[in-house]
Amino acid sequence: MPPSLPISRDSQSKLLHILRLSAQIFAQRGFQRASIRDISRATGVSLSGLYYYFESKQKLLYLIQKNAFTSILESLTQRLQSLHEPQARLHLLIQNHLEYFLAHPYETRVLSHEEDALDEPLRKEIATIKRNYYNQAREILEQVVAEVPGSNLNPRLAILTLFGMMNWVYQWHNPDLDPGAEELTNVIVGIFLHGVLPGAPEDTEFHMAELPAADS
Amino acid sequence: MPPSLPISRDSQSKLLHILRLSAQIFAQRGFQRASIRDISRATGVSLSGLYYYFESKQKLLYLIQKNAFTSILESLTQRLQSLHEPQARLHLLIQNHLEYFLAHPYETRVLSHEEDALDEPLRKEIATIKRNYYNQAREILEQVVAEVPGSNLNPRLAILTLFGMMNWVYQWHNPDLDPGAEELTNVIVGIFLHGVLPGAPEDTEFHMAELPAADS
Amino acid sequence: MPPSLPISRDSQSKLLHILRLSAQIFAQRGFQRASIRDISRATGVSLSGLYYYFESKQKLLYLIQKNAFTSILESLTQRLQSLHEPQARLHLLIQNHLEYFLAHPYETRVLSHEEDALDEPLRKEIATIKRNYYNQAREILEQVVAEVPGSNLNPRLAILTLFGMMNWVYQWHNPDLDPGAEELTNVIVGIFLHGVLPGAPEDTEFHMAELPAADS
Amino acid sequence: MPPSLPISRDSQSKLLHILRLSAQIFAQRGFQRASIRDISRATGVSLSGLYYYFESKQKLLYLIQKNAFTSILESLTQRLQSLHEPQARLHLLIQNHLEYFLAHPYETRVLSHEEDALDEPLRKEIATIKRNYYNQAREILEQVVAEVPGSNLNPRLAILTLFGMMNWVYQWHNPDLDPGAEELTNVIVGIFLHGVLPGAPEDTEFHMAELPAADS
DNA sequence: TATGAATGAGTGTTCATTCAT
DNA sequence: TATGAATGAACACTCATTCAT
């Protein structure tokens, strides 16, 4: 997390300040569209001065993404320590995720949207952290499902679907309109565990044959 | 002084060919990163020759997105005509969506990922079509929920969550590994309607107070 | 020699014009110091317009050097065809070299001075042509020496010394002051073959022991 | 307000260390290409720290060149004091030159290759030293020639040709392959005084009329 | 003596777009 | 319909140098 060169306390906190503003700019304009000049303007640091804090635009993006993921993972790990009940752990995973997302909307957008903007080898580094997170989530889910006798759930599809619900939030969440992390967590946990319909699922299943097919 | 959209049959089909290849390039490299030169290379049409078919890079993106949405909406509208049962209509919505997504992965990515790459006024035009689609989906959902007495579901959150599940698919779906549209539809419909757990939801609800809070 | 893209007669001759002016600028300011903007100014072609004719500054230097060498080598090969007497061939080699040097002082300076400014793999390509030329020169020299019975001359040292005499010319030759190619050739041929002293060499040799040594 | 040249013993020797490493870097990458950062890295001295030892990159180059020339000239002057025979003095000039060149290949390259990298007025200062050296060499040569009755040698051309032979050495000398200073001196003295051919020169002269002309 | 932090000027290069043909 | 030739604006990045400490 510290830049390759500087060590001082001031320098560190200035870097963090730059990362924060850069995340905002990348979120608003997109990584490719945003120019280092934009960041220079926003931070008040001269164009060349920025390069004292990061070696390249790519590396800047990398630092933002790594910082964000580390933040989420550390908080999750710490909070999970005291929880052992499977459903409680799943609830926490979702809540932790959404709390970060709603508290850091810019970093979130960069995380969710600019995954592919990184070139190798930085891309792989981030992918590794991500996979780590994904595996942890999947384990938690599998323990929830393990309690249900006779479930034939595909855990890969289930967890990716869950991530879809959560990660898409950055595309639509309006803080003036939509609920905060706590209530949003309850909604998503509710849908993920029990769906929007209560009661027996058996008689609501449809089969392709009954549906009209697309033309092409 | 070429027309904004060319008229001859040949010209039309060549435009479609260009749109297809452009979608692929935009999907693979991202809109900003991809250059018209990339498209020239891929299509074999000279750099300046391309401008006969579209007026600007923005307009090219617009054409791709509009074509894709139109395609999805037309197919949906047509297929819905013969279906009146609410849950069947919802199932069809999801299936129609996923069928297009898996059949046109490049266009899908451009649709989901390059929403904000358009500037006004083109952005607003696409947003209008999108809102149209969203409203239709929401109506279908509300009819499903209306059948359930005493549901306190927030339909905005529910439908956006559903779109999250579906739209995120382009980020992870691997045709060699993951099921096709039909089965995927069943999985998502299943989770959305009934969740990953069967049975009574009441006793599985958690409350924030029991969960550890994040540090910062 | 033609650029990768353009083919037309006009384009070709414009490229040659650019190469000529670029050689002058590289000669006067040095390759690294000279900027593409300098070349844009000198040629009247816009900064970006230049990149239609060459792909990079490196490639521009490469084109200049390759053109120059090709020119020298072609002229040499052609003129050597009708000459078979060894000394006459050596004389021609030197004259051909000097004629080009005095007629194209800018290209010459770029050739002699900017050898190492090229990066691989272009550097190697030029080196190959140069080695070709060097080998031809060495063969010619060896045939001259072969006629002398009992010569113990090191041909590598001899030919490199000869190239030293010739290639250094660009560092000092003043057209207002110094003789032209013909006379200069005679001088260099004279010194190289017979030295600045006439008569018997035997009694003028010195041995280290008689000379004072340097301090460090 | 550091002095233009530092005074302490330590400082002096550190400056010399910096000059040595800088010469190497300038030799290997070329003056313009080499950055002060390269020198900082090589010396371990911080970027700004270097500016205590020299005021600018130009001045650094100047110091290297001046040091080198002073070294050559001082050694030459001292060693010439005890020698009075003209040919012996010429031999010594060449040997002194080559000994320095082979012992200090980096400084040599900077001397021979980066002549024009200096801007005025530093350029003129070095040029003055150089002219000094050149004049001394020319005087020595003229005394050699004065002993030969009836010589019509152009001394300017002769001495510049000699410098060509010597100065070009840095372009090709390979310590693993080529002889050391002593033998190299003998070879160059031999060629310069007597040429590569022994015996009477009169009948080996060629005239332009007999040679084929170049095309353009 | 020495350095971390900063900067203005400049670099080579790319890009979407144009226009005469 | 199509293209070769051209351009202005912008971009990421590097550089020699400075200055407070």
Side-chain angles (χ1 to χ4, degrees), chain A residues 6 8 11 14 46 48-49 52-53:
Chain A
S8 84
S11 194
K14 187 156 184 187
S46 75
S48 47
Y52 184 76
Y53 293 95

Side-chain angles (χ1 to χ4, degrees), chain B residues 1 8 25 29 41 43 50-51 64 66 75 84 98-99 121 128 131 145 179 199 209 211:
Chain B
M1 265 151 302
S8 87
I25 288 169
R29 302 188 33 86
R41 226 168 288 131
T43 55
L50 289 170
Y51 281 82
I64 293 170
K66 190 173 155 194
S75 154
H84 301 97
L98 293 175
E99 276 176 0
T128 301
R131 175 141 299 272
V145 176
L211 294 174

Side-chain angles (χ1 to χ4, degrees), chain C residues 190-201 204-206, chain D residues 86-88 90-91 94 141 144-145 162 165 186-197:
Chain C
I191 292 180
F192 184 65
L193 291 184
H194 313 294
V196 299
L197 298 183
T204 58
E205 199 66 54
F206 282 87
Chain D
Q87 282 195 29
L90 182 66
H91 191 114
I94 296 172
L141 171 66
V144 170
V145 176
L162 174 60
M165 299 193 216
N186 285 332
V187 169
I188 287 186
V189 167
I191 292 180
F192 185 64
L193 291 184
H194 312 295
V196 300
L197 298 183

Side-chain angles (χ1 to χ4, degrees), chain D residues 2-69:
Chain D
S4 66
L5 270 189
I7 345 173
S8 87
R9 201 152 272 285
D10 276 7
S11 194
Q12 254 297 5
S13 84
K14 188 157 183 185
L15 171 62
L16 290 175
H17 180 235
I18 290 173
L19 291 186
R20 216 169 21 248
L21 286 173
S22 300
Q24 178 171 356
I25 289 169
F26 287 164
Q28 286 165 340
R29 301 188 33 86
F31 175 72
Q32 299 290 342
R33 252 183 151 173
S35 76
I36 302 284
R37 270 164 180 86
D38 291 335
I39 291 167
S40 164
R41 229 169 284 131
T43 56
V45 181
S46 78
L47 200 52
S48 41
L50 289 171
Y51 281 82
Y52 179 78
Y53 294 97
F54 51 85
E55 318 161 13
S56 70
K57 200 186 173 193
Q58 284 269 330
K59 204 73 176 248
L60 171 58
L61 174 59
Y62 166 81
L63 287 176
I64 294 171
Q65 295 195 336
K66 189 173 154 193
N67 257 21
F69 259 126

Side-chain angles (χ1 to χ4, degrees), chain B residues 112-128:
Chain B
S112 300
H113 209 81
E114 305 295 356
E115 217 190 336
D116 307 326
L118 278 183
D119 291 332
E120 301 297 359
L122 300 180
R123 185 201 198 96
K124 201 157 275 171
E125 277 197 55
I126 296 295
T128 301

Side-chain angles (χ1 to χ4, degrees), chain B residues 102-173:
Chain B
L102 299 193
H104 304 89
Y106 299 133
E107 282 80 0
T108 290
R109 185 164 233 278
V110 173
L111 225 47
S112 300
H113 209 81
E114 305 295 356
E115 217 190 336
D116 307 326
L118 278 183
D119 291 332
E120 301 297 359
L122 300 180
R123 185 201 198 96
K124 201 157 275 171
E125 277 197 55
I126 296 295
T128 301
I129 306 181
K130 210 174 251 186
R131 175 141 299 272
N132 216 320
Y133 185 44
Y134 167 82
N135 285 334
Q136 218 167 326
R138 183 158 165 178
E139 250 174 59
I140 291 174
L141 171 64
E142 284 179 341
Q143 283 171 8
V144 170
V145 176
E147 293 188 324
V148 179
S151 172
N152 64 343
L153 192 74
N154 178 332
R156 172 176 155 85
L157 294 189
I159 200 67
L160 286 168
T161 297
L162 174 60
F163 274 121
M165 299 195 218
M166 296 193 297
N167 288 341
W168 200 247
V169 164
Y170 83 91
Q171 290 269 22
W172 55 264
H173 189 270

Side-chain angles (χ1 to χ4, degrees), chain A residues 129-169:
Chain A
I129 306 181
K130 210 173 254 186
R131 175 141 298 272
N132 215 319
Y133 186 44
Y134 167 83
N135 284 335
Q136 217 166 327
R138 183 157 165 179
E139 249 174 61
I140 291 174
L141 171 66
E142 284 178 343
Q143 282 171 7
V144 170
V145 176
E147 293 189 324
V148 179
S151 173
N152 64 344
L153 192 74
N154 178 335
R156 172 176 155 85
L157 294 188
I159 200 67
L160 286 168
T161 298
L162 174 59
F163 274 120
M165 299 195 217
M166 296 194 296
N167 288 341
W168 201 248
V169 164

